[in-house]
């Protein structure tokens, strides 16, 4: 069953602006991960945040996790045209039938215009 | 060297045929996966192997049969292909510790069933 839901489904911004994508999930997790997929390519891991962490940074990326609300956000600061891609959150469920695998949301399609 | 490589990149075939997709990883990971991405970009787990043992087998028609000859390889064989099997199939690998580590994806195999 689907675990993560990204919001918005699509986002269009100008170069230099910040982009924020949100992810909500349903069950307790070990960790939550964000991936990027360029058109016609495989997914690339961006960042992993554990259930006991609240915020994590990697370059222009900032991820927050709120386990009480079962939600996460990905912020890309000072966006570039090269950031144009689909972004997926994926959750590693702590229990239940989904253990041992990552369940992906439907993704947010980000378009950064030069 | 490519970390996760899958072949072929494109596969065009007729309904009813049998085809295989191969995947190899040189990362020393103990877990490998097959994901299916549909035309709406939704990514769904199909199978997962840990140390050559099947640990995840989602609701997939038994026309799909994974085979893991060793930890570095996970192949996918599909019998009696149907139109609905058209999708992009991704192989991935990771390590399993306390939860799922980050996944490394292959570049995908675009399967078109005519």
């Amino acid at each position: 069953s689907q675990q993560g839901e990204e919001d918005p489904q699509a986002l269009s911004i100008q170069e230099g602006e910040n982009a924020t994508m949100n992810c909500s999930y349903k069950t307790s997790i070990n960790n939550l991960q964000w991936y990027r997929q360029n058109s016609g390519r495989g997914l690339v891991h961006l960042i992993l945040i554990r259930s006991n962490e609240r915020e994590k940074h990697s370059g222009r990326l900032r991820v927050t996790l709120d386990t009480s609300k079962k939600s996460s956000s990905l912020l890309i600061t000072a966006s570039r045209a090269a950031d144009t891609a689909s972004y997926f959150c994926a959750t590693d469920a702590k229990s239940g039938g989904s253990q041992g695998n990552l369940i992906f949301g439907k993704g947010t399609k980000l378009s950064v215009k030069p | 060297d490519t970390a996760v490589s899958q072949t072929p990149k494109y596969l065009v075939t007729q309904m009813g045929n049998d085809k295989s997709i191969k995947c190899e990883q040189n990362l020393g990971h103990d877990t490998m996966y097959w994901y299916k991405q549909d035309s709406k970009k939704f990514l769904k787990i199909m199978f997962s192997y840990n140390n050559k043992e099947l640990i995840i087998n989602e609701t997939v028609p038994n026309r799909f049969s994974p085979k893991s000859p060793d930890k570095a390889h996970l192949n996918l064989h599909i019998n009696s292909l149907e139109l609905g099997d058209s999708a992009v199939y991704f192989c991935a690998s990771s390590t399993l510790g306390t939860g799922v580590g980050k996944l490394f994806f292959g570049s995908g195999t675009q399967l078109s069933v005519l």
Side-chain angles (χ1 to χ4, degrees):
Chain A
S1 62
Q2 187 181 334
Q3 167 78 310
E5 284 274 353
E6 287 92 340
D7 168 54
Q9 289 187 351
L11 180 60
S12 183
I13 59 174
Q14 294 294 133
E15 215 167 22
E17 293 180 340
N18 294 343
T20 299
M21 288 158 267
N22 302 298
C23 171
S24 59
Y25 57 92
K26 295 173 185 171
T27 65
S28 296
I29 58 171
N30 290 308
N31 67 61
L32 183 144
Q33 303 181 31
W34 285 91
Y35 288 79
R36 183 187 74 225
Q37 184 180 31
N38 289 84
S39 182
R41 308 292 293 272
L43 281 77
V44 174
H45 180 270
L46 294 176
I47 203 161
L48 181 155
I49 187 165
R50 301 192 189 285
S51 60
N52 60 354
E53 296 175 312
R54 291 296 165 259
E55 189 170 313
K56 213 161 179 182
H57 296 254
S58 176
R60 293 184 296 112
L61 305 180
R62 175 179 162 244
V63 167
T64 62
L65 179 64
D66 187 336
T67 52
S68 66
K69 294 182 180 177
K70 291 187 169 59
S71 67
S72 172
S73 67
L74 170 67
L75 168 67
I76 305 174
T77 59
S79 63
R80 304 167 183 167
D83 295 328
T84 295
S86 291
Y87 292 81
F88 295 86
C89 72
T91 50
D92 172 27
K94 203 174 253 189
S95 62
S98 300
Q99 271 178 293
N101 80 79
L102 285 184
I103 299 182
F104 285 80
K106 291 185 178 178
T108 292
K109 192 168 184 178
L110 173 66
S111 176
V112 182
K113 298 178 181 175
Chain B
D1 283 344
T2 304
V4 181
S5 60
Q6 55 181 107
T7 55
K9 187 165 175 62
Y10 300 98
L11 190 49
V12 182
T13 188
Q14 299 286 330
M15 263 175 42
N17 283 351
D18 303 339
K19 289 293 177 186
S20 291
I21 308 172
K22 295 186 176 182
C23 180
E24 175 181 3
Q25 55 98 0
N26 62 6
L27 298 167
H29 288 161
D30 57 11
T31 307
M32 295 184 72
Y33 308 80
W34 278 109
Y35 280 85
K36 178 181 179 181
Q37 187 172 45
D38 63 22
S39 58
K40 294 182 180 178
K41 302 299 181 189
F42 181 49
L43 203 66
K44 185 173 167 55
I45 183 86
M46 298 175 70
F47 302 103
S48 176
Y49 272 75
N50 176 255
N51 288 316
K52 301 198 300 174
E53 183 181 337
L54 182 66
I55 59 169
I56 294 171
N57 184 355
E58 290 293 298
T59 307
V60 175
N62 58 14
R63 298 180 294 103
F64 290 79
S65 53
K67 282 192 173 49
S68 182
D70 55 56
K71 278 177 20 174
H73 295 83
L74 180 61
N75 304 322
L76 183 65
H77 189 75
I78 315 170
N79 289 325
S80 304
L81 279 155
E82 299 178 357
L83 294 176
D85 297 332
S86 294
V88 182
Y89 292 83
F90 287 100
C91 176
S93 71
S94 76
T95 54
L96 275 187
T98 306
V100 180
K102 68 179 185 180
L103 262 59
F104 289 78
F105 281 83
S107 56
T109 295
Q110 186 165 330
L111 172 64
S112 299
V113 183
L114 307 176

